[in-house]
Structure formats: structure tokens, C-alpha cells
Short mmCIF file of all heavy atoms in Angstrom, two decimals:
data_model
loop_
_atom_site.label_atom_id
_atom_site.label_comp_id
_atom_site.label_asym_id
_atom_site.label_seq_id
_atom_site.Cartn_x
_atom_site.Cartn_y
_atom_site.Cartn_z
N GLY A 492 0.70 -13.95 5.15
CA GLY A 492 0.83 -14.24 6.58
C GLY A 492 0.43 -15.72 6.79
O GLY A 492 -0.05 -16.39 6.03
N SER A 493 0.68 -16.08 8.14
CA SER A 493 0.27 -17.49 8.38
C SER A 493 -1.11 -17.88 8.25
O SER A 493 -1.53 -19.11 8.05
CB SER A 493 0.73 -17.79 9.80
OG SER A 493 0.16 -16.95 10.78
N SER A 494 -2.04 -16.92 8.31
CA SER A 494 -3.36 -17.12 8.21
C SER A 494 -3.83 -17.08 6.71
O SER A 494 -5.08 -17.24 6.45
CB SER A 494 -4.23 -16.06 8.96
OG SER A 494 -4.06 -14.80 8.55
N GLY A 495 -3.04 -16.78 5.81
CA GLY A 495 -3.37 -16.61 4.45
C GLY A 495 -3.62 -15.13 4.00
O GLY A 495 -3.81 -14.86 2.83
N ARG A 496 -3.61 -14.31 4.94
CA ARG A 496 -3.89 -12.95 4.67
C ARG A 496 -2.70 -12.26 3.96
O ARG A 496 -1.42 -12.64 4.34
CB ARG A 496 -4.21 -12.08 5.91
CG ARG A 496 -5.52 -12.55 6.57
CD ARG A 496 -5.85 -11.75 7.87
NE ARG A 496 -7.09 -12.15 8.49
CZ ARG A 496 -7.88 -11.48 9.20
NH1 ARG A 496 -7.55 -10.14 9.38
NH2 ARG A 496 -8.91 -12.02 9.75
N VAL A 497 -2.96 -11.35 3.07
CA VAL A 497 -1.91 -10.70 2.27
C VAL A 497 -1.61 -9.24 2.78
O VAL A 497 -2.54 -8.50 2.97
CB VAL A 497 -2.25 -10.72 0.70
CG1 VAL A 497 -1.07 -9.98 -0.05
CG2 VAL A 497 -2.36 -12.12 0.29
N PHE A 498 -0.29 -8.94 2.99
CA PHE A 498 0.07 -7.63 3.49
C PHE A 498 1.13 -7.04 2.77
O PHE A 498 1.99 -7.74 2.09
CB PHE A 498 0.52 -7.70 4.96
CG PHE A 498 -0.42 -8.31 5.91
CD1 PHE A 498 -0.36 -9.65 6.10
CD2 PHE A 498 -1.17 -7.58 6.65
CE1 PHE A 498 -1.31 -10.30 7.05
CE2 PHE A 498 -2.07 -8.05 7.62
CZ PHE A 498 -2.19 -9.43 7.79
N PRO A 499 1.23 -5.69 2.61
CA PRO A 499 2.41 -5.03 2.16
C PRO A 499 3.68 -5.43 2.89
O PRO A 499 3.45 -5.63 4.09
CB PRO A 499 2.06 -3.55 2.04
CG PRO A 499 0.70 -3.52 2.31
CD PRO A 499 0.24 -4.71 3.01
N ALA A 500 4.82 -5.36 2.39
CA ALA A 500 6.05 -5.90 3.16
C ALA A 500 6.26 -5.11 4.29
O ALA A 500 6.72 -5.64 5.32
CB ALA A 500 7.22 -5.78 2.20
N ASP A 501 5.89 -3.83 4.36
CA ASP A 501 6.11 -3.02 5.58
C ASP A 501 4.89 -2.93 6.39
O ASP A 501 4.86 -2.17 7.44
CB ASP A 501 6.61 -1.59 5.20
CG ASP A 501 5.47 -0.83 4.46
OD1 ASP A 501 4.52 -1.36 4.19
OD2 ASP A 501 5.98 0.33 3.98
N MET A 502 3.75 -3.64 6.09
CA MET A 502 2.47 -3.64 6.73
C MET A 502 1.70 -2.36 6.68
O MET A 502 0.64 -2.31 7.33
CB MET A 502 2.70 -4.15 8.19
CG MET A 502 3.36 -5.30 8.51
SD MET A 502 2.31 -6.87 8.13
CE MET A 502 1.18 -6.80 9.50
N LYS A 503 2.13 -1.37 6.09
CA LYS A 503 1.58 0.02 6.09
C LYS A 503 0.79 0.35 4.88
O LYS A 503 1.00 -0.16 3.83
CB LYS A 503 2.64 1.02 6.30
CG LYS A 503 3.48 0.86 7.71
CD LYS A 503 4.52 1.91 7.75
CE LYS A 503 5.41 1.66 8.99
NZ LYS A 503 6.51 2.65 9.11
N ALA A 504 -0.24 1.13 5.08
CA ALA A 504 -1.11 1.58 4.08
C ALA A 504 -0.62 2.84 3.35
O ALA A 504 -0.87 3.14 2.22
CB ALA A 504 -2.52 1.83 4.56
N ALA A 505 0.00 3.74 4.28
CA ALA A 505 0.45 5.16 3.68
C ALA A 505 1.34 5.09 2.45
O ALA A 505 1.10 5.73 1.57
CB ALA A 505 0.97 5.88 4.80
N PRO A 506 2.45 4.20 2.53
CA PRO A 506 3.28 4.18 1.35
C PRO A 506 2.54 3.68 0.04
O PRO A 506 2.81 4.22 -0.98
CB PRO A 506 4.36 3.20 1.77
CG PRO A 506 4.35 3.23 3.28
CD PRO A 506 2.96 3.39 3.61
N LEU A 507 1.70 2.78 0.23
CA LEU A 507 1.01 2.38 -0.94
C LEU A 507 0.00 3.45 -1.46
O LEU A 507 0.03 3.73 -2.70
CB LEU A 507 -0.01 1.14 -0.41
CG LEU A 507 -0.65 0.24 -1.62
CD1 LEU A 507 -0.90 -1.13 -1.19
CD2 LEU A 507 -1.89 0.96 -2.20
N LEU A 508 -0.76 4.20 -0.63
CA LEU A 508 -1.51 5.29 -1.06
C LEU A 508 -0.74 6.41 -1.74
O LEU A 508 -1.12 6.89 -2.69
CB LEU A 508 -2.32 5.72 0.09
CG LEU A 508 -3.35 6.75 -0.17
CD1 LEU A 508 -4.47 6.40 -1.19
CD2 LEU A 508 -4.06 7.39 1.05
N ARG A 509 0.39 6.71 -1.18
CA ARG A 509 1.26 7.75 -1.63
C ARG A 509 1.76 7.45 -3.11
O ARG A 509 1.73 8.17 -4.02
CB ARG A 509 2.47 7.95 -0.83
CG ARG A 509 2.14 8.81 0.50
CD ARG A 509 3.56 9.35 1.07
NE ARG A 509 4.42 8.30 1.45
CZ ARG A 509 4.38 7.83 2.71
NH1 ARG A 509 3.53 8.15 3.55
NH2 ARG A 509 5.27 6.81 3.00
N ALA A 510 2.19 6.17 -3.28
CA ALA A 510 2.62 5.69 -4.64
C ALA A 510 1.50 5.68 -5.60
O ALA A 510 1.65 6.11 -6.69
CB ALA A 510 3.24 4.35 -4.46
N TRP A 511 0.19 5.36 -5.14
CA TRP A 511 -0.86 5.26 -5.92
C TRP A 511 -1.35 6.72 -6.43
O TRP A 511 -1.57 7.00 -7.68
CB TRP A 511 -2.03 4.59 -5.20
CG TRP A 511 -3.21 4.24 -6.06
CD1 TRP A 511 -3.32 4.30 -7.49
CD2 TRP A 511 -4.36 3.70 -5.63
NE1 TRP A 511 -4.61 3.80 -7.89
CE2 TRP A 511 -5.20 3.39 -6.75
CE3 TRP A 511 -4.85 3.40 -4.30
CZ2 TRP A 511 -6.49 2.91 -6.53
CZ3 TRP A 511 -6.12 2.82 -4.24
CH2 TRP A 511 -6.88 2.53 -5.32
N LEU A 512 -1.35 7.57 -5.46
CA LEU A 512 -1.67 8.98 -5.79
C LEU A 512 -0.74 9.76 -6.80
O LEU A 512 -0.99 10.43 -7.61
CB LEU A 512 -1.97 9.81 -4.53
CG LEU A 512 -3.05 9.38 -3.64
CD1 LEU A 512 -3.04 10.26 -2.39
CD2 LEU A 512 -4.47 9.51 -4.36
N LYS A 513 0.59 9.30 -6.55
CA LYS A 513 1.58 9.74 -7.54
C LYS A 513 1.38 9.33 -8.91
O LYS A 513 1.39 10.14 -9.86
CB LYS A 513 2.96 9.41 -7.05
CG LYS A 513 4.11 9.87 -8.01
CD LYS A 513 5.46 9.38 -7.41
CE LYS A 513 6.71 9.84 -8.15
NZ LYS A 513 6.71 9.07 -9.43
N ARG A 514 0.93 8.04 -9.03
CA ARG A 514 0.61 7.57 -10.45
C ARG A 514 -0.51 8.21 -10.95
O ARG A 514 -0.64 8.62 -12.13
CB ARG A 514 0.35 6.03 -10.32
CG ARG A 514 -0.06 5.39 -11.56
CD ARG A 514 -0.64 3.93 -11.40
NE ARG A 514 0.55 3.03 -11.16
CZ ARG A 514 0.46 1.79 -11.05
NH1 ARG A 514 -0.66 1.26 -10.98
NH2 ARG A 514 1.61 1.05 -10.90
N LEU A 515 -1.57 8.42 -10.11
CA LEU A 515 -2.80 9.10 -10.55
C LEU A 515 -2.54 10.62 -11.08
O LEU A 515 -3.13 10.93 -12.16
CB LEU A 515 -3.81 9.16 -9.58
CG LEU A 515 -4.42 7.85 -9.25
CD1 LEU A 515 -5.50 7.90 -8.08
CD2 LEU A 515 -5.07 7.07 -10.37
N ARG A 516 -1.70 11.27 -10.36
CA ARG A 516 -1.29 12.64 -10.73
C ARG A 516 -0.53 12.59 -12.10
O ARG A 516 -0.88 13.40 -13.06
CB ARG A 516 -0.42 13.23 -9.75
CG ARG A 516 -1.23 13.72 -8.49
CD ARG A 516 -0.29 14.68 -7.57
NE ARG A 516 0.93 13.96 -7.06
CZ ARG A 516 0.92 13.32 -5.93
NH1 ARG A 516 -0.07 13.27 -5.24
NH2 ARG A 516 2.05 12.76 -5.57
#
């Protein structure tokens, strides 16, 4: 972002967590 903060492309946490938990399983 303009302030230097990094975000997922869709700005959401849930898709990231779902993909992560799938990997862990």
C-alpha cells in the first residue's frame, strides 16, 4: 500500500487461513 504496509490482494485474512490450514492437514 501507499504507506508501505503489505496486504493480501483481496485484503482478507480468511482465504489465507483456509489455504494454510489445508496445507497443514
Side-chain angles (χ1 to χ4, degrees):
S493 58
S494 65
R496 298 184 179 204
V497 177
F498 301 89
D501 63 1
M502 300 287 286
K503 297 177 181 178
L507 192 159
L508 184 60
R509 282 197 300 270
W511 193 6
L512 293 177
K513 179 177 182 290
R514 173 187 287 179
L515 293 177
R516 286 193 298 270

